[in-house]
Amino acid sequence: MLREEYDLLVVGGGPGGSTAALVGAREGLKVLLVDKRQEIGTPVRCAEALGFEQLEPYIAVDDRWIAAWIDAFRIVGPSGKSVRVPPTSPTAVVERKIFDRELANEAARAGATVRAMTRVTDVIRQDGYVVGAKMISLGREMEVRAKITIAADGAESQIGRWAGMKTTPRLEEYYSAAQYLLGGIRLEDPRECQYHVGNEVAPGGYAWVFPKGPDKANVGLVITLTHEKHGRSAQEYLNAFVERLYPEASILTMNLGGIPVGGTLKDIVGDGIMLVGDAAHQAEPVTGGGINLAMFAGDMAAKVAATAIRSGDWSRKKLEAYPAAWNKEHGRAVGAMAKARQIVLKFEDKRYDKLVDLAADLPLDKMSATDIILAVLRHDPSLLLYARGFIIPGI
Amino acid sequence: MTNPSRSHILIMVNRDRCGICGCCVPVCPPDAMVLHDAHLDIDHDTCTECLKCIPVCPTNALYQVPADSVLLRRT
Ligand SMILES: Cc1cc2nc3c(=O)[nH]c(=O)nc-3n(C[C@H](O)[C@H](O)[C@H](O)COP(=O)(O)OP(=O)(O)OC[C@H]3O[C@@H](n4cnc5c(N)ncnc54)[C@H](O)[C@@H]3O)c2cc1C
Ligand code: SF4
Ligand code: SF4
């Protein structure tokens, strides 16, 4: 059996893990980044819309992974009424296949060791601490010892659970997603991302059309299904949506996945371990967008790891600096959106249309998606009925 | 691997439908789903028959069958 030792082991070469490895290496740590995939970035499980605010420290914009720049978002209500919303930061639909691989390469360039096709099969625990992990690397068994392990293993996350943390999402707080990359279509505006809401389109979720050029688009949806509501699957809803909008389309790729959208987990650190990105339920709960947030979390976790290792103490108590930083910067907003999501989830179609009407009257060019949703909730007093029992800041 | 003394139903995976997305793995409370590179397995000894996994699957690849029907088919 192969045995190796590092300061920091990062599991998962998605945006969260690669950023953690990159920042950890820059901080001078000896870092190993592993991913079970044969090729980092594939298969894609994402609609690939990315806002570029605050990404410069990690990766420079590169045409190779820009599929389409976006001028506007359009929210389409059940009746077909719609509202156009300008983005608050430069936004593009990217090629995550290339983006994820290049971000992993940034980590490698900063000095981290990166290994694809390396699947973690269990964590190693000693005296209550996570002290590394067992893995199968390119077909060989390997045991890696590390002072700190960062689990950035995505929505399918197992590492946190193996470390004894509570990570199981509730069904009401989990998006089930299906998406096609459609080809041979004609987009009216190839620089506009569309969000379609309504109970027929996507119960407890929404459908999207994100262009990747004039004749190609990621077309997909998320739904929330519970035992009671279980009927058609995400893919069946998607087939109906595609049949209605693009009956002539060809299916170039199919992607499936899940997104935990209940807001950040209560415990995202333990002795010698930190959870980052979808593994920590850090995606924005209404849209399910999590690329940037995973990267910001990866940055914060790696910096806390470096400080902890330098101080010789990486107990849970010491690592609590990471959730503290996260909650201050993003966690509270993510939590508010998780609550907003529970309200929006229960809308009847009439109410979605009203939401579109209300949004049309707002100064949209100055507002982020979070601002808009909170403002709409605030502007319609009847919506407060839905908000009873929830604490949304500012209502 | 089945546990006939306890199982009333078995959760099965339709492999023609399963896209190996792993979406069902984290929602399973007892961690009974095992995602391999090319397929998903369910450890029926660990499964508590809670049925949480069934609605989250984006392709409806998970379904339940009476346990005895499967035992009969296997022998
Ligand atoms: C259909 C869909 C559409 C989405 N659209 C958008 C969007 O348009 N914009 C947006 O911002 N977000 C979107 N998201 C969310 C976004 O994809 C995630 O939030 C983001 O990828 C989270 O990054 P991450 O680094 O936490 O995890 P991931 O990107 O999921 O990376 C986790 C990595 O860990 C690896 N891994 C898992 N287990 C192991 C193991 N045991 N050993 C080794 N490696 C392991 C996996 O192979 C994977 O590469 C979408 C999600 C879905 C499902
Ligand atoms: S959620 Fe469905 S498609 Fe995804 S791994 Fe599970 S059974 Fe397969
Ligand atoms: S029925 Fe429950 S315990 Fe069994 S595999 Fe599905 S989620 Fe897991």
Side-chain angles (χ1 to χ4, degrees), chain A residues 11-17 34-37 45-50 96 100 118-121 152-156 159 162 177-179 208 210 256-259 276-279 283 288-292 294:
Chain A
V11 185
V34 298
D35 198 295
K36 66 181 182 183
R37 297 174 175 195
R45 264 181 227 141
C46 185
E48 306 179 292
L50 179 64
R96 272 200 63 184
D100 281 26
T118 302
R119 169 196 292 273
V120 169
T121 53
D153 49 339
E156 72 212 73
I159 312 288
W162 293 336
Q179 173 180 273
W208 62 80
F210 291 176
L256 309 164
I259 317 175
V276 156
D278 278 6
I291 305 173
N292 316 50

Side-chain angles (χ1 to χ4, degrees), chain A residues 63-120:
Chain A
D63 284 341
R64 281 180 306 160
W65 46 259
I66 302 288
W69 286 102
I70 297 305
D71 295 334
F73 303 113
R74 183 176 291 282
I75 303 167
V76 185
S79 70
K81 265 196 254 183
S82 69
V83 56
R84 199 176 146 95
V85 185
T88 42
S89 58
T91 300
V93 178
V94 300
E95 293 289 353
R96 272 200 63 184
K97 242 193 268 196
I98 308 174
F99 175 81
D100 281 26
R101 196 177 64 211
E102 290 306 311
L103 193 59
N105 192 40
E106 290 295 329
R109 282 185 7 185
T113 304
V114 182
R115 292 235 181 87
M117 218 175 151
T118 302
R119 169 196 292 273
V120 169

Side-chain angles (χ1 to χ4, degrees), chain A residues 36 45 119 155-156 158 161-162 168-169 171 174 176-177 225 227 230 233-236 256-258, chain B residues 19-23 25-29 31 35-37 50-52 54-60:
Chain A
K36 66 181 182 183
R45 264 181 227 141
R119 169 196 292 273
E156 72 212 73
Q158 296 274 81
R161 168 140 72 179
W162 293 336
T168 312
L171 284 187
Y174 199 64
S176 172
L225 288 178
H227 294 300
H230 179 223
S233 66
Q235 194 187 17
E236 286 167 298
L256 309 164
Chain B
I20 327 168
C21 70
C23 173
V25 174
V27 305
C28 171
D31 202 4
L35 194 66
H36 301 280
D37 287 330
C50 74
L51 306 183
K52 258 182 93 174
I54 290 181
V56 303
C57 174
T59 62
N60 256 343

